[in-house]
Amino acid sequence: MAPGLFSQERNPGLLLLEMTELSESTTPRSIGEIASYHAHVYHDPATTRPEAEQLRAWIDERFAVTLGRWHDVKVGPHDQAMFQIAFAADLFATLVPWLMLNHGSLSVLVHPNTTNPRRDHLVNPIWIGAPLDVHGEKLPDEGELEHAPSPNTHPVLRP
């Protein structure tokens, strides 16, 4: 298994070693480290794109977020087609439970944005639906804080 690749057929020893290396700490971390969140909504362009389009339209109607471009091919550490939702930390308590109830057959990776993108994607995310591969070797250990961009949606309905 390639370093940083988490798959459903994980080698428990390797996974534990990698997670330990990324998450060792002698003191609790503060949630103040989180500048914003991303949710990656995965789809198959040939079979589940319409379902992803419907979910995206519902999000646009209900949440002040930034919807990213459609990626119908693998991009970055993501092993499947997807679109990204960038959102402010104060939306987590409503958007994430809403995604839990409305993701359908789609997989969704939700991760914080701190100064360590690799750890954010591999150690600190939550999965909604079936977990998919994430290629951690394509992510840096250090980066700039990414604050939520200005929303590009037009909410008119309550979640």
Side-chain angles (χ1 to χ4, degrees):
M1 177 181 294
L5 176 66
F6 283 17
S7 74
Q8 293 175 3
E9 299 175 8
R10 298 175 179 149
N11 174 328
L14 182 60
L15 177 62
L16 181 60
L17 174 64
E18 183 154 314
M19 287 183 67
T20 301
E21 290 173 358
L22 289 172
S23 63
E24 278 187 14
S25 179
T26 57
T27 60
R29 295 170 59 206
S30 166
I31 61 171
E33 291 182 43
I34 300 171
S36 63
Y37 288 91
H38 286 167
H40 300 276
V41 179
Y42 299 97
H43 69 282
D44 179 336
T47 60
T48 59
R49 171 80 184 241
E51 185 177 3
E53 289 172 353
Q54 179 65 70
L55 182 64
R56 185 181 173 101
W58 288 345
I59 292 166
D60 181 39
E61 294 172 333
R62 289 166 175 81
F63 296 98
V65 299
T66 302
L67 294 172
R69 295 187 320 252
W70 287 98
H71 296 281
D72 284 331
V73 296
K74 297 176 184 181
V75 61
H78 306 285
D79 208 35
Q80 189 169 334
M82 62 96 186
F83 70 88
Q84 175 182 282
I85 307 163
F87 60 100
D90 63 354
L91 283 179
F92 185 94
T94 52
L95 178 58
V96 174
W98 187 90
L99 286 168
M100 290 173 173
L101 298 175
N102 293 287
H103 69 94
S105 70
L106 305 172
S107 293
V108 182
L109 170 69
V110 180
H111 68 81
N113 289 316
T114 69
T115 58
N116 189 320
R118 186 168 186 249
R119 182 179 59 211
D120 294 343
H121 283 76
L122 300 180
V123 178
N124 299 325
I126 59 170
W127 280 96
I128 300 170
L132 303 173
D133 291 343
V134 175
H135 298 273
E137 72 277 5
K138 295 182 178 184
L139 293 164
D141 284 325
E142 293 183 26
E144 296 292 318
L145 278 178
E146 185 178 331
H147 295 279
S150 296
N152 64 359
T153 55
H154 304 78
V156 294
L157 300 173
R158 294 183 56 139

